[in-house]
Amino acid sequence: KAGVTQTPRYLIKTRGQQVTLSCSPISGHRSVSWYQQTPGQGLQFLFEYFSETQRNKGNFPGRFSGRQFSNSRSEMNVSTLELGDSALYLCASSLPQRQRGGLNEQFFGPGTRLTVL
Amino acid sequence: AQTVTQSQPEMSVQEAETVTLSCTYDTSESDYYLFWYKQPPSRQMILVIRQEAYKQQNATENRFSVNFQKAAKSFSLKISDSQLGDAAMYFCARTSGNTPLVFGKGTRLSVIA
């Protein structure tokens, strides 16, 4: 079974531009989460989508948005890029979380390295 | 804020030796899940081991084991017979199941041949 894929792997943008990152989850996984990883802040949760609905949202400004399609693929968009948005953006997918008893593991993609100049 | 703290930014271990990575967390919940993730230099994050808070028995996966002290809110990872391939960033994380993963800042582990 193919793993989580993210495109592009590397991206260079300039301040003020906008960017769209893509994530294809493992087949059958309907939950997709996005994380931002920086040396200073570590891994921070951006948002989670399940069945095309945003289920959780982290503490990021409105410039960060996302969506999920009917095939569970997800995109995140960052508008008006700032230097501080330079980071590794990780996507993770999982089966729908069970109501009781147990937790489905999140599988991570390789990430998209975004550099803002 | 419910936090996860990894107090060792860097650790090193000799090949074939044992190393323990520390993690403490803060939570007001009685039911939650704890994880150790490994992120090698290639950046793909993989799950190393998980622990359900309601289980008293410490989780073990081959050379990896945890010491889960619920009252102390401590969750350390022990790597036995360290191998060169164990060199990576290790992240401790927790979730209640319905909440996003909260990660520690990570510990960079070097393995010395």
Side-chain angles (χ1 to χ4, degrees), chain A residues 74-107:
Chain A
S74 178
E75 288 181 347
M76 67 162 282
N77 183 276
V78 188
S79 62
T80 319
L81 283 166
E82 301 177 359
L83 296 179
D85 297 333
S86 294
L88 180 67
Y89 290 88
L90 293 170
C91 164
S93 76
S94 68
L95 292 166
Q97 298 306 338
R98 292 183 280 257
Q99 287 289 81
R100 289 189 178 81
L103 181 74
N104 290 313
E105 176 187 346
Q106 287 195 14
F107 292 83

PDB file of all heavy atoms in Angstrom, chain A residues 74-107:
ATOM      1  N   SER A  74      -5.994  16.233   0.326  1.00  0.00           N
ATOM      2  CA  SER A  74      -6.127  17.507   1.020  1.00  0.00           C
ATOM      3  C   SER A  74      -5.127  18.512   0.484  1.00  0.00           C
ATOM      4  O   SER A  74      -4.045  18.154  -0.011  1.00  0.00           O
ATOM      5  CB  SER A  74      -5.918  17.315   2.522  1.00  0.00           C
ATOM      6  OG  SER A  74      -6.001  18.542   3.221  1.00  0.00           O
ATOM      7  N   GLU A  75      -5.494  19.751   0.546  1.00  0.00           N
ATOM      8  CA  GLU A  75      -4.604  20.847   0.187  1.00  0.00           C
ATOM      9  C   GLU A  75      -4.590  21.854   1.330  1.00  0.00           C
ATOM     10  O   GLU A  75      -5.586  22.030   2.035  1.00  0.00           O
ATOM     11  CB  GLU A  75      -5.078  21.564  -1.076  1.00  0.00           C
ATOM     12  CG  GLU A  75      -4.903  20.779  -2.350  1.00  0.00           C
ATOM     13  CD  GLU A  75      -5.370  21.559  -3.578  1.00  0.00           C
ATOM     14  OE1 GLU A  75      -6.044  22.604  -3.417  1.00  0.00           O
ATOM     15  OE2 GLU A  75      -5.067  21.113  -4.695  1.00  0.00           O
ATOM     16  N   MET A  76      -3.438  22.474   1.511  1.00  0.00           N
ATOM     17  CA  MET A  76      -3.401  23.621   2.407  1.00  0.00           C
ATOM     18  C   MET A  76      -2.856  24.817   1.634  1.00  0.00           C
ATOM     19  O   MET A  76      -2.029  24.664   0.734  1.00  0.00           O
ATOM     20  CB  MET A  76      -2.583  23.359   3.662  1.00  0.00           C
ATOM     21  CG  MET A  76      -1.110  23.170   3.481  1.00  0.00           C
ATOM     22  SD  MET A  76      -0.221  23.385   5.049  1.00  0.00           S
ATOM     23  CE  MET A  76      -0.191  25.160   5.194  1.00  0.00           C
ATOM     24  N   ASN A  77      -3.355  25.961   1.982  1.00  0.00           N
ATOM     25  CA  ASN A  77      -3.002  27.182   1.285  1.00  0.00           C
ATOM     26  C   ASN A  77      -2.501  28.207   2.299  1.00  0.00           C
ATOM     27  O   ASN A  77      -3.073  28.333   3.393  1.00  0.00           O
ATOM     28  CB  ASN A  77      -4.226  27.727   0.545  1.00  0.00           C
ATOM     29  CG  ASN A  77      -3.901  28.961  -0.264  1.00  0.00           C
ATOM     30  OD1 ASN A  77      -3.898  30.064   0.263  1.00  0.00           O
ATOM     31  ND2 ASN A  77      -3.601  28.774  -1.528  1.00  0.00           N
ATOM     32  N   VAL A  78      -1.440  28.885   1.934  1.00  0.00           N
ATOM     33  CA  VAL A  78      -0.958  29.988   2.757  1.00  0.00           C
ATOM     34  C   VAL A  78      -0.930  31.221   1.866  1.00  0.00           C
ATOM     35  O   VAL A  78      -0.251  31.227   0.826  1.00  0.00           O
ATOM     36  CB  VAL A  78       0.442  29.731   3.339  1.00  0.00           C
ATOM     37  CG1 VAL A  78       0.796  30.829   4.344  1.00  0.00           C
ATOM     38  CG2 VAL A  78       0.529  28.364   3.997  1.00  0.00           C
ATOM     39  N   SER A  79      -1.650  32.234   2.263  1.00  0.00           N
ATOM     40  CA  SER A  79      -1.683  33.460   1.476  1.00  0.00           C
ATOM     41  C   SER A  79      -0.761  34.501   2.109  1.00  0.00           C
ATOM     42  O   SER A  79      -0.402  34.402   3.286  1.00  0.00           O
ATOM     43  CB  SER A  79      -3.113  33.995   1.403  1.00  0.00           C
ATOM     44  OG  SER A  79      -3.569  34.324   2.697  1.00  0.00           O
ATOM     45  N   THR A  80      -0.380  35.473   1.328  1.00  0.00           N
ATOM     46  CA  THR A  80       0.466  36.577   1.793  1.00  0.00           C
ATOM     47  C   THR A  80       1.622  36.045   2.648  1.00  0.00           C
ATOM     48  O   THR A  80       1.736  36.329   3.852  1.00  0.00           O
ATOM     49  CB  THR A  80      -0.364  37.594   2.604  1.00  0.00           C
ATOM     50  OG1 THR A  80      -1.631  37.791   1.986  1.00  0.00           O
ATOM     51  CG2 THR A  80       0.372  38.927   2.680  1.00  0.00           C
ATOM     52  N   LEU A  81       2.470  35.296   2.018  1.00  0.00           N
ATOM     53  CA  LEU A  81       3.557  34.620   2.733  1.00  0.00           C
ATOM     54  C   LEU A  81       4.460  35.594   3.479  1.00  0.00           C
ATOM     55  O   LEU A  81       4.754  36.700   3.000  1.00  0.00           O
ATOM     56  CB  LEU A  81       4.391  33.796   1.750  1.00  0.00           C
ATOM     57  CG  LEU A  81       3.775  32.476   1.297  1.00  0.00           C
ATOM     58  CD1 LEU A  81       4.511  31.928   0.078  1.00  0.00           C
ATOM     59  CD2 LEU A  81       3.792  31.463   2.432  1.00  0.00           C
ATOM     60  N   GLU A  82       4.881  35.151   4.660  1.00  0.00           N
ATOM     61  CA  GLU A  82       5.835  35.893   5.480  1.00  0.00           C
ATOM     62  C   GLU A  82       7.092  35.044   5.646  1.00  0.00           C
ATOM     63  O   GLU A  82       7.052  33.824   5.495  1.00  0.00           O
ATOM     64  CB  GLU A  82       5.225  36.212   6.841  1.00  0.00           C
ATOM     65  CG  GLU A  82       3.949  37.038   6.767  1.00  0.00           C
ATOM     66  CD  GLU A  82       3.316  37.275   8.127  1.00  0.00           C
ATOM     67  OE1 GLU A  82       3.869  36.772   9.134  1.00  0.00           O
ATOM     68  OE2 GLU A  82       2.268  37.947   8.183  1.00  0.00           O
ATOM     69  N   LEU A  83       8.202  35.730   5.990  1.00  0.00           N
ATOM     70  CA  LEU A  83       9.455  35.001   6.172  1.00  0.00           C
ATOM     71  C   LEU A  83       9.302  33.884   7.201  1.00  0.00           C
ATOM     72  O   LEU A  83       9.875  32.805   7.052  1.00  0.00           O
ATOM     73  CB  LEU A  83      10.569  35.953   6.606  1.00  0.00           C
ATOM     74  CG  LEU A  83      10.976  37.035   5.597  1.00  0.00           C
ATOM     75  CD1 LEU A  83      12.069  37.921   6.193  1.00  0.00           C
ATOM     76  CD2 LEU A  83      11.465  36.411   4.293  1.00  0.00           C
ATOM     77  N   GLY A  84       8.516  34.141   8.232  1.00  0.00           N
ATOM     78  CA  GLY A  84       8.321  33.169   9.310  1.00  0.00           C
ATOM     79  C   GLY A  84       7.530  31.949   8.912  1.00  0.00           C
ATOM     80  O   GLY A  84       7.414  31.003   9.699  1.00  0.00           O
ATOM     81  N   ASP A  85       6.994  31.950   7.701  1.00  0.00           N
ATOM     82  CA  ASP A  85       6.257  30.774   7.230  1.00  0.00           C
ATOM     83  C   ASP A  85       7.191  29.707   6.674  1.00  0.00           C
ATOM     84  O   ASP A  85       6.746  28.610   6.352  1.00  0.00           O
ATOM     85  CB  ASP A  85       5.243  31.175   6.146  1.00  0.00           C
ATOM     86  CG  ASP A  85       4.180  32.123   6.672  1.00  0.00           C
ATOM     87  OD1 ASP A  85       3.890  32.076   7.891  1.00  0.00           O
ATOM     88  OD2 ASP A  85       3.642  32.906   5.867  1.00  0.00           O
ATOM     89  N   SER A  86       8.457  30.033   6.562  1.00  0.00           N
ATOM     90  CA  SER A  86       9.443  29.045   6.115  1.00  0.00           C
ATOM     91  C   SER A  86       9.461  27.891   7.112  1.00  0.00           C
ATOM     92  O   SER A  86       9.684  28.087   8.312  1.00  0.00           O
ATOM     93  CB  SER A  86      10.834  29.668   6.032  1.00  0.00           C
ATOM     94  OG  SER A  86      10.880  30.654   5.036  1.00  0.00           O
ATOM     95  N   ALA A  87       9.215  26.698   6.609  1.00  0.00           N
ATOM     96  CA  ALA A  87       9.069  25.547   7.509  1.00  0.00           C
ATOM     97  C   ALA A  87       8.940  24.286   6.686  1.00  0.00           C
ATOM     98  O   ALA A  87       8.803  24.324   5.460  1.00  0.00           O
ATOM     99  CB  ALA A  87       7.830  25.702   8.394  1.00  0.00           C
ATOM    100  N   LEU A  88       8.956  23.171   7.412  1.00  0.00           N
ATOM    101  CA  LEU A  88       8.600  21.885   6.820  1.00  0.00           C
ATOM    102  C   LEU A  88       7.134  21.655   7.160  1.00  0.00           C
ATOM    103  O   LEU A  88       6.741  21.700   8.329  1.00  0.00           O
ATOM    104  CB  LEU A  88       9.468  20.777   7.404  1.00  0.00           C
ATOM    105  CG  LEU A  88       9.210  19.357   6.886  1.00  0.00           C
ATOM    106  CD1 LEU A  88       9.594  19.236   5.417  1.00  0.00           C
ATOM    107  CD2 LEU A  88       9.992  18.330   7.723  1.00  0.00           C
ATOM    108  N   TYR A  89       6.327  21.424   6.149  1.00  0.00           N
ATOM    109  CA  TYR A  89       4.907  21.186   6.367  1.00  0.00           C
ATOM    110  C   TYR A  89       4.638  19.695   6.191  1.00  0.00           C
ATOM    111  O   TYR A  89       4.863  19.129   5.125  1.00  0.00           O
ATOM    112  CB  TYR A  89       4.063  22.036   5.416  1.00  0.00           C
ATOM    113  CG  TYR A  89       4.132  23.495   5.793  1.00  0.00           C
ATOM    114  CD1 TYR A  89       5.131  24.319   5.280  1.00  0.00           C
ATOM    115  CD2 TYR A  89       3.218  24.040   6.689  1.00  0.00           C
ATOM    116  CE1 TYR A  89       5.217  25.645   5.660  1.00  0.00           C
ATOM    117  CE2 TYR A  89       3.294  25.368   7.071  1.00  0.00           C
ATOM    118  CZ  TYR A  89       4.303  26.167   6.562  1.00  0.00           C
ATOM    119  OH  TYR A  89       4.401  27.483   6.948  1.00  0.00           O
ATOM    120  N   LEU A  90       4.160  19.098   7.260  1.00  0.00           N
ATOM    121  CA  LEU A  90       3.914  17.660   7.279  1.00  0.00           C
ATOM    122  C   LEU A  90       2.426  17.372   7.239  1.00  0.00           C
ATOM    123  O   LEU A  90       1.625  18.051   7.883  1.00  0.00           O
ATOM    124  CB  LEU A  90       4.518  17.035   8.537  1.00  0.00           C
ATOM    125  CG  LEU A  90       6.041  17.037   8.649  1.00  0.00           C
ATOM    126  CD1 LEU A  90       6.461  16.606  10.039  1.00  0.00           C
ATOM    127  CD2 LEU A  90       6.660  16.130   7.609  1.00  0.00           C
ATOM    128  N   CYS A  91       2.102  16.350   6.499  1.00  0.00           N
ATOM    129  CA  CYS A  91       0.734  15.874   6.416  1.00  0.00           C
ATOM    130  C   CYS A  91       0.704  14.463   7.007  1.00  0.00           C
ATOM    131  O   CYS A  91       1.666  13.702   6.847  1.00  0.00           O
ATOM    132  CB  CYS A  91       0.310  15.867   4.948  1.00  0.00           C
ATOM    133  SG  CYS A  91      -1.147  14.919   4.576  1.00  0.00           S
ATOM    134  N   ALA A  92      -0.368  14.143   7.688  1.00  0.00           N
ATOM    135  CA  ALA A  92      -0.517  12.795   8.265  1.00  0.00           C
ATOM    136  C   ALA A  92      -1.928  12.299   8.006  1.00  0.00           C
ATOM    137  O   ALA A  92      -2.881  13.078   8.078  1.00  0.00           O
ATOM    138  CB  ALA A  92      -0.236  12.809   9.765  1.00  0.00           C
ATOM    139  N   SER A  93      -2.052  11.024   7.708  1.00  0.00           N
ATOM    140  CA  SER A  93      -3.385  10.480   7.492  1.00  0.00           C
ATOM    141  C   SER A  93      -3.642   9.318   8.433  1.00  0.00           C
ATOM    142  O   SER A  93      -2.710   8.678   8.926  1.00  0.00           O
ATOM    143  CB  SER A  93      -3.564  10.035   6.032  1.00  0.00           C
ATOM    144  OG  SER A  93      -2.895   8.806   5.768  1.00  0.00           O
ATOM    145  N   SER A  94      -4.920   9.065   8.678  1.00  0.00           N
ATOM    146  CA  SER A  94      -5.287   7.939   9.529  1.00  0.00           C
ATOM    147  C   SER A  94      -6.691   7.489   9.167  1.00  0.00           C
ATOM    148  O   SER A  94      -7.451   8.215   8.517  1.00  0.00           O
ATOM    149  CB  SER A  94      -5.218   8.324  11.017  1.00  0.00           C
ATOM    150  OG  SER A  94      -6.222   9.266  11.331  1.00  0.00           O
ATOM    151  N   LEU A  95      -7.006   6.293   9.624  1.00  0.00           N
ATOM    152  CA  LEU A  95      -8.387   5.840   9.530  1.00  0.00           C
ATOM    153  C   LEU A  95      -9.234   6.713  10.456  1.00  0.00           C
ATOM    154  O   LEU A  95      -8.676   7.342  11.367  1.00  0.00           O
ATOM    155  CB  LEU A  95      -8.473   4.369   9.941  1.00  0.00           C
ATOM    156  CG  LEU A  95      -7.804   3.378   8.984  1.00  0.00           C
ATOM    157  CD1 LEU A  95      -7.661   2.018   9.648  1.00  0.00           C
ATOM    158  CD2 LEU A  95      -8.612   3.259   7.699  1.00  0.00           C
ATOM    159  N   PRO A  96     -10.533   6.757  10.279  1.00  0.00           N
ATOM    160  CA  PRO A  96     -11.369   7.536  11.194  1.00  0.00           C
ATOM    161  C   PRO A  96     -11.174   7.060  12.625  1.00  0.00           C
ATOM    162  O   PRO A  96     -11.054   5.860  12.863  1.00  0.00           O
ATOM    163  CB  PRO A  96     -12.791   7.247  10.713  1.00  0.00           C
ATOM    164  CG  PRO A  96     -12.641   6.832   9.302  1.00  0.00           C
ATOM    165  CD  PRO A  96     -11.311   6.144   9.211  1.00  0.00           C
ATOM    166  N   GLN A  97     -11.078   8.004  13.566  1.00  0.00           N
ATOM    167  CA  GLN A  97     -10.853   7.635  14.951  1.00  0.00           C
ATOM    168  C   GLN A  97     -12.085   6.942  15.508  1.00  0.00           C
ATOM    169  O   GLN A  97     -13.202   7.362  15.295  1.00  0.00           O
ATOM    170  CB  GLN A  97     -10.515   8.871  15.784  1.00  0.00           C
ATOM    171  CG  GLN A  97      -9.240   9.568  15.358  1.00  0.00           C
ATOM    172  CD  GLN A  97      -8.026   8.646  15.319  1.00  0.00           C
ATOM    173  OE1 GLN A  97      -7.997   7.599  15.970  1.00  0.00           O
ATOM    174  NE2 GLN A  97      -7.026   9.017  14.547  1.00  0.00           N
ATOM    175  N   ARG A  98     -11.848   5.878  16.259  1.00  0.00           N
ATOM    176  CA  ARG A  98     -12.945   5.137  16.863  1.00  0.00           C
ATOM    177  C   ARG A  98     -13.512   5.940  18.027  1.00  0.00           C
ATOM    178  O   ARG A  98     -12.803   6.704  18.672  1.00  0.00           O
ATOM    179  CB  ARG A  98     -12.437   3.783  17.358  1.00  0.00           C
ATOM    180  CG  ARG A  98     -12.045   2.851  16.237  1.00  0.00           C
ATOM    181  CD  ARG A  98     -11.630   1.505  16.807  1.00  0.00           C
ATOM    182  NE  ARG A  98     -10.268   1.557  17.303  1.00  0.00           N
ATOM    183  CZ  ARG A  98      -9.237   1.041  16.650  1.00  0.00           C
ATOM    184  NH1 ARG A  98      -9.425   0.455  15.488  1.00  0.00           N
ATOM    185  NH2 ARG A  98      -8.026   1.088  17.174  1.00  0.00           N
ATOM    186  N   GLN A  99     -14.786   5.739  18.267  1.00  0.00           N
ATOM    187  CA  GLN A  99     -15.419   6.456  19.360  1.00  0.00           C
ATOM    188  C   GLN A  99     -14.865   5.992  20.708  1.00  0.00           C
ATOM    189  O   GLN A  99     -14.575   6.773  21.583  1.00  0.00           O
ATOM    190  CB  GLN A  99     -16.931   6.232  19.327  1.00  0.00           C
ATOM    191  CG  GLN A  99     -17.628   6.967  18.203  1.00  0.00           C
ATOM    192  CD  GLN A  99     -17.663   8.462  18.441  1.00  0.00           C
ATOM    193  OE1 GLN A  99     -16.704   9.179  18.196  1.00  0.00           O
ATOM    194  NE2 GLN A  99     -18.763   8.953  18.942  1.00  0.00           N
ATOM    195  N   ARG A 100     -14.708   4.711  20.853  1.00  0.00           N
ATOM    196  CA  ARG A 100     -14.216   4.162  22.111  1.00  0.00           C
ATOM    197  C   ARG A 100     -13.149   3.138  21.847  1.00  0.00           C
ATOM    198  O   ARG A 100     -13.163   2.433  20.869  1.00  0.00           O
ATOM    199  CB  ARG A 100     -15.362   3.476  22.868  1.00  0.00           C
ATOM    200  CG  ARG A 100     -16.383   4.404  23.451  1.00  0.00           C
ATOM    201  CD  ARG A 100     -17.349   3.642  24.354  1.00  0.00           C
ATOM    202  NE  ARG A 100     -18.322   4.543  24.957  1.00  0.00           N
ATOM    203  CZ  ARG A 100     -19.400   4.972  24.349  1.00  0.00           C
ATOM    204  NH1 ARG A 100     -19.659   4.595  23.125  1.00  0.00           N
ATOM    205  NH2 ARG A 100     -20.245   5.789  24.956  1.00  0.00           N
ATOM    206  N   GLY A 101     -12.210   3.083  22.749  1.00  0.00           N
ATOM    207  CA  GLY A 101     -11.274   1.964  22.702  1.00  0.00           C
ATOM    208  C   GLY A 101     -10.294   2.035  21.562  1.00  0.00           C
ATOM    209  O   GLY A 101     -10.612   1.675  20.451  1.00  0.00           O
ATOM    210  N   GLY A 102      -9.134   2.511  21.819  1.00  0.00           N
ATOM    211  CA  GLY A 102      -8.084   2.468  20.816  1.00  0.00           C
ATOM    212  C   GLY A 102      -8.010   3.747  20.012  1.00  0.00           C
ATOM    213  O   GLY A 102      -8.912   4.578  20.026  1.00  0.00           O
ATOM    214  N   LEU A 103      -6.943   3.862  19.295  1.00  0.00           N
ATOM    215  CA  LEU A 103      -6.669   5.059  18.512  1.00  0.00           C
ATOM    216  C   LEU A 103      -5.963   4.631  17.251  1.00  0.00           C
ATOM    217  O   LEU A 103      -5.016   3.849  17.297  1.00  0.00           O
ATOM    218  CB  LEU A 103      -5.771   6.002  19.317  1.00  0.00           C
ATOM    219  CG  LEU A 103      -5.402   7.320  18.655  1.00  0.00           C
ATOM    220  CD1 LEU A 103      -6.585   8.243  18.665  1.00  0.00           C
ATOM    221  CD2 LEU A 103      -4.225   7.944  19.365  1.00  0.00           C
ATOM    222  N   ASN A 104      -6.439   5.118  16.117  1.00  0.00           N
ATOM    223  CA  ASN A 104      -5.782   4.771  14.871  1.00  0.00           C
ATOM    224  C   ASN A 104      -4.527   5.608  14.670  1.00  0.00           C
ATOM    225  O   ASN A 104      -4.552   6.824  14.818  1.00  0.00           O
ATOM    226  CB  ASN A 104      -6.745   4.967  13.703  1.00  0.00           C
ATOM    227  CG  ASN A 104      -7.848   3.932  13.708  1.00  0.00           C
ATOM    228  OD1 ASN A 104      -7.585   2.745  13.873  1.00  0.00           O
ATOM    229  ND2 ASN A 104      -9.075   4.362  13.534  1.00  0.00           N
ATOM    230  N   GLU A 105      -3.473   4.945  14.293  1.00  0.00           N
ATOM    231  CA  GLU A 105      -2.176   5.595  14.126  1.00  0.00           C
ATOM    232  C   GLU A 105      -2.190   6.591  12.990  1.00  0.00           C
ATOM    233  O   GLU A 105      -2.835   6.378  11.962  1.00  0.00           O
ATOM    234  CB  GLU A 105      -1.123   4.528  13.850  1.00  0.00           C
ATOM    235  CG  GLU A 105       0.279   5.055  13.564  1.00  0.00           C
ATOM    236  CD  GLU A 105       1.228   3.961  13.140  1.00  0.00           C
ATOM    237  OE1 GLU A 105       0.885   2.763  13.320  1.00  0.00           O
ATOM    238  OE2 GLU A 105       2.311   4.280  12.627  1.00  0.00           O
ATOM    239  N   GLN A 106      -1.474   7.685  13.178  1.00  0.00           N
ATOM    240  CA  GLN A 106      -1.281   8.648  12.097  1.00  0.00           C
ATOM    241  C   GLN A 106      -0.013   8.284  11.331  1.00  0.00           C
ATOM    242  O   GLN A 106       1.026   8.033  11.936  1.00  0.00           O
ATOM    243  CB  GLN A 106      -1.151  10.063  12.652  1.00  0.00           C
ATOM    244  CG  GLN A 106      -2.458  10.639  13.162  1.00  0.00           C
ATOM    245  CD  GLN A 106      -2.396  12.135  13.376  1.00  0.00           C
ATOM    246  OE1 GLN A 106      -1.482  12.809  12.910  1.00  0.00           O
ATOM    247  NE2 GLN A 106      -3.371  12.673  14.079  1.00  0.00           N
ATOM    248  N   PHE A 107      -0.112   8.271  10.032  1.00  0.00           N
ATOM    249  CA  PHE A 107       1.027   7.999   9.165  1.00  0.00           C
ATOM    250  C   PHE A 107       1.431   9.310   8.482  1.00  0.00           C
ATOM    251  O   PHE A 107       0.595   9.974   7.874  1.00  0.00           O
ATOM    252  CB  PHE A 107       0.674   6.951   8.116  1.00  0.00           C
ATOM    253  CG  PHE A 107       0.433   5.584   8.697  1.00  0.00           C
ATOM    254  CD1 PHE A 107      -0.811   5.250   9.228  1.00  0.00           C
ATOM    255  CD2 PHE A 107       1.440   4.637   8.726  1.00  0.00           C
ATOM    256  CE1 PHE A 107      -1.039   4.000   9.781  1.00  0.00           C
ATOM    257  CE2 PHE A 107       1.215   3.379   9.260  1.00  0.00           C
ATOM    258  CZ  PHE A 107      -0.020   3.056   9.792  1.00  0.00           C
TER     259      PHE A 107
END
